[in-house]
Amino acid sequence: EAQVTQNPRYLITVTGKKLTVTCSQNMNHEYMSWYRQDPGLGLRQIYYSMNVEVTDKGDVPEGYKVSRKEKRNFPLILESPSPNQTSLYFCASSLLPSGQNTGELFFGEGSRLTVL
Amino acid sequence: DQQVKQNSPSLSVQEGRISILNCDYTNSMFDYFLWYKKYPAEGPTFLISISSIKDKNEDGRFTVFLNKSAKHLSLHIVPSQPGDSAVYFCATPSGGSNYKLTFGKGTLLTVNP
């Protein structure tokens, strides 16, 4: 089954404790991206990756890091989480960059993160 | 500054009637638009898209209309069903590379039986 898998789905942590949210896709997609969803703010892009070793900032990259060492994986790293990073996070992938052909993103089910 | 605006946070309609969800954008250079649907506790799923070379795209009960002069698009759902109750986001590739997908804030549609 084609899917984007995120882990963990739920996490409560404390300020400053490094954490990683993993994302894996089994569709051989080149493009992967991270979004956060907050009430009243919709979905905002954090980082994206066009392919292995190619990453770039989205609209809200502060406090986050990413890496793309393998095509299927795109982990989101919070080196020193703060309460304002409490949010619902979505990983997504697509065969082509958005804006070309269908531009259809496939999303994971989300990871709800709470930073105390 | 919001590049994609969904000014109605919520919309409630009766089953069988038409649902119209609206989206405005600021940049006339945007040339491709998508609608996503999101149920609680799930990730968004792609619904329908439209290119700026068209003014209408239809897929079953879902039709998207694009008015380029007004920088406005709308999603029509006819007839609406209770299972359509979800948050709907419009989105467009933004930025010079088209590699960023910018979303509106979403509209919560409730279809009442």
Side-chain angles (χ1 to χ4, degrees), chain A residues 62-88:
Chain A
E62 296 78 18
Y64 304 96
K65 285 175 57 178
V66 292
S67 69
R68 189 90 180 273
K69 293 185 171 59
E70 303 167 281
K71 195 173 187 180
R72 63 182 291 129
N73 296 322
F74 190 45
L76 180 69
I77 303 157
L78 286 74
E79 292 272 3
S80 182
S82 61
N84 65 11
Q85 293 179 297
T86 292
S87 187
L88 179 58

Side-chain angles (χ1 to χ4, degrees), chain B residues 42-53:
Chain B
E42 294 184 12
T45 54
F46 170 74
L47 188 58
I48 192 169
S49 63
I50 189 166
S51 166
S52 61
I53 61 173

Side-chain angles (χ1 to χ4, degrees), chain A residues 31 35 40 59 98 101-102 105, chain B residues 32 36 98-101 105:
Chain A
Y31 181 88
Y35 289 84
D59 293 317
S98 61
N101 292 353
T102 66
L105 284 176
Chain B
Y32 187 73
Y36 284 80
N98 272 352
Y99 300 153
K100 291 170 57 175
L101 193 62
K105 293 184 178 181

Side-chain angles (χ1 to χ4, degrees), chain A residues 19-30:
Chain A
L19 68 93
T20 298
V21 186
T22 64
C23 175
S24 181
Q25 50 92 6
N26 63 0
M27 296 169 279
N28 202 36
H29 285 170
E30 282 86 12

Side-chain angles (χ1 to χ4, degrees), chain A residues 3 11 27 32 52 65 79 98 104:
Chain A
Q3 58 186 359
L11 179 64
M27 296 169 279
M32 297 186 75
V52 175
K65 285 175 57 178
E79 292 272 3
S98 61
E104 177 183 347

Side-chain angles (χ1 to χ4, degrees), chain B residues 49-103:
Chain B
S49 63
I50 189 166
S51 166
S52 61
I53 61 173
K54 295 183 175 181
D55 54 16
K56 175 183 173 181
N57 189 25
E58 193 170 355
D59 184 1
R61 295 185 298 112
F62 302 90
T63 303
V64 56
F65 295 91
L66 177 61
N67 182 334
K68 292 182 284 294
S69 62
K71 295 200 282 283
H72 176 84
L73 63 154
S74 60
L75 174 68
H76 293 214
I77 307 173
V78 184
S80 302
Q81 299 174 354
D84 296 329
S85 298
V87 177
Y88 290 79
F89 294 97
C90 65
T92 185
S94 63
S97 65
N98 272 352
Y99 300 153
K100 291 170 57 175
L101 193 62
T102 297
F103 286 80

